[in-house]
Amino acid sequence: MTTRTRLTLDEFLAKPDIDERRLELIDGEIYEKMSPTWGLSRIALRLGGWFADIGFAGVEPRIVIQPGADEGPYAPIPDVAFYRSDPPEDHEWLTRPPDVAVEILSLNQSRREVRGKIDVYRRFGVGSAWLVDLELELIEIYESDGRRVLSGDDIVETSYAPGLRFVARDLFAR
C-alpha cells in the first residue's frame, strides 16, 4: 500500500494502526512492510541475539526521523537495531540513531528500495547500516569508509559493535 499524498510525521504517528499493520513512512509516503518469512525471522533473531550479547538489540523497532530541509519525514522499521549503550526506554520509539541498523532483503523488496532505506539510516546518523541478502547469502555493510560485501568465510565485524565477530556463512546456517 502506498499513499498518494504526503503525510507529516505527526499525521502518520497519529494513525491508529501503524504498528499492527507494520506501516512505514518513507519520505512522507506510507508503505506496508511485508510480514517476515521464516528465513528472515530466523536471521533477525540470530543477529539480535549476537548483538544482545555485547549491548542492546531490538527486532523491528520503529525509528522516528524528523523531516529535513530537502526531504520528508521517515518512520522506518529496521529488522534489527543495536545500541552499544544507553538504549531507548522500553516504551519509546528510536528517536536517535542506533549504532547499527540492519535490513534483511524481503522477497517483495528490490535491492534499490532497501538501499534507499540504508541511505536514510546513514543520513540519520546510524554508524553502520547493513543489508542482508538471504538468497545470495551476503552482507553489505555501509559505513563512513564505504561499502563492504561479505560472504562465505569472510569475517563480519564493525567498530560500531565492538566484540561482535562472526563468519558470514554462520549467519545463514540452518
Side-chain angles (χ1 to χ4, degrees), residues 36-44 104 134 174:
T37 62
W38 176 257
L40 190 148
S41 177
R42 181 175 55 81
I43 296 299
I104 304 170
L134 292 170
R174 289 195 43 92

PDB file of all heavy atoms in Angstrom, residues 36-44 104 134 174:
ATOM      1  N   PRO A  36       7.516 -11.049   7.990  1.00  0.00           N
ATOM      2  CA  PRO A  36       8.750 -11.785   7.728  1.00  0.00           C
ATOM      3  C   PRO A  36       8.498 -13.252   7.404  1.00  0.00           C
ATOM      4  O   PRO A  36       7.623 -13.882   7.983  1.00  0.00           O
ATOM      5  CB  PRO A  36       9.544 -11.646   9.031  1.00  0.00           C
ATOM      6  CG  PRO A  36       8.568 -11.231  10.065  1.00  0.00           C
ATOM      7  CD  PRO A  36       7.417 -10.586   9.362  1.00  0.00           C
ATOM      8  N   THR A  37       9.290 -13.760   6.482  1.00  0.00           N
ATOM      9  CA  THR A  37       9.290 -15.189   6.203  1.00  0.00           C
ATOM     10  C   THR A  37      10.059 -15.886   7.317  1.00  0.00           C
ATOM     11  O   THR A  37      10.703 -15.249   8.158  1.00  0.00           O
ATOM     12  CB  THR A  37       9.988 -15.485   4.859  1.00  0.00           C
ATOM     13  OG1 THR A  37      11.353 -15.046   4.970  1.00  0.00           O
ATOM     14  CG2 THR A  37       9.291 -14.791   3.701  1.00  0.00           C
ATOM     15  N   TRP A  38      10.034 -17.196   7.319  1.00  0.00           N
ATOM     16  CA  TRP A  38      10.770 -17.953   8.326  1.00  0.00           C
ATOM     17  C   TRP A  38      12.256 -17.601   8.286  1.00  0.00           C
ATOM     18  O   TRP A  38      12.868 -17.329   9.319  1.00  0.00           O
ATOM     19  CB  TRP A  38      10.584 -19.459   8.096  1.00  0.00           C
ATOM     20  CG  TRP A  38      11.405 -20.260   9.065  1.00  0.00           C
ATOM     21  CD1 TRP A  38      12.583 -20.903   8.809  1.00  0.00           C
ATOM     22  CD2 TRP A  38      11.137 -20.463  10.451  1.00  0.00           C
ATOM     23  NE1 TRP A  38      13.058 -21.496   9.948  1.00  0.00           N
ATOM     24  CE2 TRP A  38      12.181 -21.233  10.972  1.00  0.00           C
ATOM     25  CE3 TRP A  38      10.119 -20.059  11.301  1.00  0.00           C
ATOM     26  CZ2 TRP A  38      12.229 -21.630  12.310  1.00  0.00           C
ATOM     27  CZ3 TRP A  38      10.174 -20.455  12.631  1.00  0.00           C
ATOM     28  CH2 TRP A  38      11.220 -21.225  13.113  1.00  0.00           C
ATOM     29  N   GLY A  39      12.839 -17.553   7.100  1.00  0.00           N
ATOM     30  CA  GLY A  39      14.267 -17.261   6.978  1.00  0.00           C
ATOM     31  C   GLY A  39      14.617 -15.878   7.477  1.00  0.00           C
ATOM     32  O   GLY A  39      15.606 -15.697   8.204  1.00  0.00           O
ATOM     33  N   LEU A  40      13.822 -14.878   7.110  1.00  0.00           N
ATOM     34  CA  LEU A  40      14.084 -13.517   7.568  1.00  0.00           C
ATOM     35  C   LEU A  40      13.984 -13.450   9.090  1.00  0.00           C
ATOM     36  O   LEU A  40      14.842 -12.870   9.760  1.00  0.00           O
ATOM     37  CB  LEU A  40      13.089 -12.550   6.925  1.00  0.00           C
ATOM     38  CG  LEU A  40      13.376 -11.067   7.124  1.00  0.00           C
ATOM     39  CD1 LEU A  40      12.902 -10.290   5.912  1.00  0.00           C
ATOM     40  CD2 LEU A  40      12.766 -10.525   8.375  1.00  0.00           C
ATOM     41  N   SER A  41      12.969 -14.060   9.648  1.00  0.00           N
ATOM     42  CA  SER A  41      12.775 -14.066  11.090  1.00  0.00           C
ATOM     43  C   SER A  41      13.933 -14.776  11.794  1.00  0.00           C
ATOM     44  O   SER A  41      14.439 -14.310  12.825  1.00  0.00           O
ATOM     45  CB  SER A  41      11.452 -14.762  11.408  1.00  0.00           C
ATOM     46  OG  SER A  41      11.247 -14.849  12.782  1.00  0.00           O
ATOM     47  N   ARG A  42      14.368 -15.887  11.242  1.00  0.00           N
ATOM     48  CA  ARG A  42      15.474 -16.668  11.814  1.00  0.00           C
ATOM     49  C   ARG A  42      16.761 -15.847  11.833  1.00  0.00           C
ATOM     50  O   ARG A  42      17.481 -15.801  12.838  1.00  0.00           O
ATOM     51  CB  ARG A  42      15.649 -17.953  10.994  1.00  0.00           C
ATOM     52  CG  ARG A  42      16.725 -18.888  11.456  1.00  0.00           C
ATOM     53  CD  ARG A  42      16.715 -20.176  10.630  1.00  0.00           C
ATOM     54  NE  ARG A  42      16.827 -19.973   9.204  1.00  0.00           N
ATOM     55  CZ  ARG A  42      17.973 -19.751   8.569  1.00  0.00           C
ATOM     56  NH1 ARG A  42      19.103 -19.671   9.226  1.00  0.00           N
ATOM     57  NH2 ARG A  42      17.993 -19.586   7.259  1.00  0.00           N
ATOM     58  N   ILE A  43      17.038 -15.146  10.735  1.00  0.00           N
ATOM     59  CA  ILE A  43      18.258 -14.335  10.626  1.00  0.00           C
ATOM     60  C   ILE A  43      18.184 -13.140  11.584  1.00  0.00           C
ATOM     61  O   ILE A  43      19.155 -12.814  12.271  1.00  0.00           O
ATOM     62  CB  ILE A  43      18.468 -13.856   9.179  1.00  0.00           C
ATOM     63  CG1 ILE A  43      18.697 -15.050   8.250  1.00  0.00           C
ATOM     64  CG2 ILE A  43      19.600 -12.850   9.083  1.00  0.00           C
ATOM     65  CD1 ILE A  43      19.902 -15.899   8.551  1.00  0.00           C
ATOM     66  N   ALA A  44      17.032 -12.477  11.653  1.00  0.00           N
ATOM     67  CA  ALA A  44      16.868 -11.342  12.552  1.00  0.00           C
ATOM     68  C   ALA A  44      17.063 -11.769  14.009  1.00  0.00           C
ATOM     69  O   ALA A  44      17.736 -11.085  14.788  1.00  0.00           O
ATOM     70  CB  ALA A  44      15.493 -10.692  12.365  1.00  0.00           C
ATOM     71  N   ILE A 104      16.974  -6.757   6.250  1.00  0.00           N
ATOM     72  CA  ILE A 104      17.080  -8.063   5.605  1.00  0.00           C
ATOM     73  C   ILE A 104      16.173  -8.024   4.378  1.00  0.00           C
ATOM     74  O   ILE A 104      14.975  -7.751   4.502  1.00  0.00           O
ATOM     75  CB  ILE A 104      16.695  -9.200   6.563  1.00  0.00           C
ATOM     76  CG1 ILE A 104      17.569  -9.131   7.823  1.00  0.00           C
ATOM     77  CG2 ILE A 104      16.828 -10.558   5.861  1.00  0.00           C
ATOM     78  CD1 ILE A 104      17.133 -10.045   8.945  1.00  0.00           C
ATOM     79  N   LEU A 134      19.382 -12.900   1.984  1.00  0.00           N
ATOM     80  CA  LEU A 134      19.251 -14.329   2.278  1.00  0.00           C
ATOM     81  C   LEU A 134      19.499 -15.197   1.045  1.00  0.00           C
ATOM     82  O   LEU A 134      20.091 -16.266   1.141  1.00  0.00           O
ATOM     83  CB  LEU A 134      17.852 -14.642   2.813  1.00  0.00           C
ATOM     84  CG  LEU A 134      17.504 -14.093   4.180  1.00  0.00           C
ATOM     85  CD1 LEU A 134      16.026 -14.268   4.456  1.00  0.00           C
ATOM     86  CD2 LEU A 134      18.324 -14.780   5.229  1.00  0.00           C
ATOM     87  N   ARG A 174      21.582 -23.191   8.648  1.00  0.00           N
ATOM     88  CA  ARG A 174      20.245 -23.647   9.086  1.00  0.00           C
ATOM     89  C   ARG A 174      20.346 -24.541  10.280  1.00  0.00           C
ATOM     90  O   ARG A 174      21.190 -25.182  10.614  1.00  0.00           O
ATOM     91  CB  ARG A 174      19.565 -24.377   7.943  1.00  0.00           C
ATOM     92  CG  ARG A 174      19.164 -23.395   6.869  1.00  0.00           C
ATOM     93  CD  ARG A 174      18.172 -23.901   5.855  1.00  0.00           C
ATOM     94  NE  ARG A 174      17.070 -24.654   6.354  1.00  0.00           N
ATOM     95  CZ  ARG A 174      15.886 -24.138   6.690  1.00  0.00           C
ATOM     96  NH1 ARG A 174      15.669 -22.870   6.630  1.00  0.00           N
ATOM     97  NH2 ARG A 174      14.915 -24.913   7.103  1.00  0.00           N
TER      98      ARG A 174
END
